[in-house]
Amino acid sequence: MQITGNTIFIPGATSGIGLAFAVALHERGNTVIVGGRRTELLDRIVAEHPGVHAVAVDTADPASIEQAAARVIAEHPDLNVLIPMAGIMRAEDWTRPSGFLDTAEQTVTTNVLGPIRLIGAFIEHLLTRPDATIVTVSSGLAFTPLRVTPTYNATKAAIHMLSESIRLQLADTSVRVLELEPPSVATDLMPGHQDDPNAQPLDEFIAEVMALIEADPDAREIQVERVKFLRYAEVRGEYDQVVATLNARDPH
Ligand SMILES: NC(=O)c1ccc[n+]([C@@H]2O[C@H](COP(=O)([O-])OP(=O)(O)OC[C@H]3O[C@@H](n4cnc5c(N)ncnc54)[C@H](OP(=O)(O)O)[C@@H]3O)[C@@H](O)[C@H]2O)c1
């Protein structure tokens, strides 16, 4: 993906990584449309960042995705980048059904079905563009598990394998697949996460991401330095140690 000159829809950009990425991409000369459920935040983002557009969407709702996609494509026919960023992360207790069944369904719906349905809503349009990119959002936890969030980890592993797989199917088309693999980044994804001393500061993370995209527009994965501890634990032969270290840090 080129760092500039794109028209980009980011469903899941009312806060955190999505918002910071949206602002950075806008500043680098991209047309950016932010999406999410919290319309008061969408209004504020548009007011604070002239030139940024917003479209409300609930990515857990297939009808909302269809409506939002139709609007984005009608208003921004140059759209060539989709970043299905929306995600949720919930602590679970898998020793009793009431500790995980509801959260598991919500998490799969948002983190896996959401991106799948979004890609479904945009793929035919993206294939008409001469240079298009789907930026999927997985996690370091796709590669090394955090004990308290089993379904979350599993959904991010699914996004990794989905990215690997659809990249093969789209290889001979104009659509590239770029997987963003954040490490722990200080956002409000989970209670207390914003103040976690082990999380990478958001501005530092986004600056590193932008530098990586600029340095290698043909990259398949965006890996900041901090995610490599989790991303390549198994490759290094240190998987059990890294699982132990990651989960010893975890206060839950
Ligand atoms: N922070 C980390 O440590 C970390 C690490 C690895 C991966 N990630 C991934 O990065 C992505 C962004 O997370 P974040 O850390 O920036 O957390 P965040 O601040 O909580 O942002 C989550 C975003 O997803 C949106 N969202 C959630 N459910 C949605 C729905 N049903 N429909 C539309 N939008 C929805 C939220 O918007 P509304 O509430 O307005 O709908 C919000 O904009 C997620 O996919 C997360 O899994 C984060």
Side-chain angles (χ1 to χ4, degrees):
M1 172 183 150
Q2 299 297 327
I3 195 81
T4 191
N6 304 290
T7 301
I8 306 173
F9 181 41
I10 315 180
T14 50
S15 60
I17 293 173
L19 175 56
F21 200 19
V23 170
L25 287 165
H26 176 63
E27 285 169 353
R28 289 302 302 267
N30 297 281
T31 300
V32 178
I33 305 112
V34 296
R37 292 165 301 181
R38 289 173 287 177
T39 50
E40 70 284 4
L41 292 183
L42 294 175
D43 291 345
R44 193 194 304 168
I45 293 163
V46 167
E48 288 177 358
H49 302 280
V52 171
H53 307 271
V55 170
V57 63
D58 178 353
T59 65
D61 174 0
S64 175
I65 287 177
E66 287 302 325
Q67 283 164 13
R71 186 175 155 200
V72 168
I73 292 168
E75 293 178 4
H76 304 278
D78 290 341
L79 185 96
N80 70 325
V81 178
L82 170 69
I83 310 182
M85 176 68 69
I88 58 171
M89 182 176 187
R90 303 278 185 262
E92 296 172 335
D93 173 2
W94 276 63
T95 62
R96 52 193 174 84
S98 62
F100 67 92
L101 282 179
D102 284 353
T103 55
E105 291 206 8
Q106 288 166 20
T107 307
V108 169
T109 301
T110 304
N111 295 10
V112 182
L113 285 178
I116 287 173
R117 288 171 175 152
L118 282 160
I119 294 168
F122 282 95
I123 188 64
E124 288 170 314
H125 174 80
L126 293 174
L127 285 165
T128 68
R129 308 302 307 148
D131 183 12
T133 306
I134 299 167
V135 183
T136 56
V137 183
S138 66
S139 168
L141 301 180
F143 305 93
T144 303
L146 185 64
R147 187 179 58 87
V148 290
T149 55
T151 306
Y152 179 83
N153 309 335
T155 62
K156 293 301 180 179
I159 291 299
H160 170 65
M161 189 48 72
L162 187 74
S163 309
E164 291 283 309
S165 308
I166 63 177
R167 186 181 297 116
L168 296 177
Q169 284 209 5
L170 297 168
D172 295 330
T173 75
S174 60
V175 181
R176 295 171 206 190
V177 179
L178 175 60
E179 180 184 347
L180 174 63
E181 297 165 2
S184 180
V185 178
T187 69
D188 291 323
L189 185 60
M190 281 188 93
H193 196 55
Q194 185 79 250
D195 304 316
D196 181 349
N198 291 309
Q200 182 169 24
L202 181 57
D203 53 355
E204 185 187 301
F205 170 69
I206 293 297
E208 209 177 331
V209 166
M210 296 298 283
L212 287 169
I213 295 172
E214 186 162 28
D216 185 3
D218 295 323
R220 299 192 305 195
E221 303 179 31
I222 305 174
Q223 296 165 351
V224 300
E225 283 306 312
R226 282 196 191 207
V227 83
K228 293 178 181 173
F229 176 65
L230 302 179
R231 173 68 178 89
Y232 293 116
E234 193 165 9
V235 174
R236 293 191 306 267
E238 297 172 357
Y239 184 76
D240 289 347
Q241 261 168 280
V242 173
V243 170
T245 305
L246 174 70
N247 287 287
R249 277 181 193 170
D250 178 55
H252 297 277

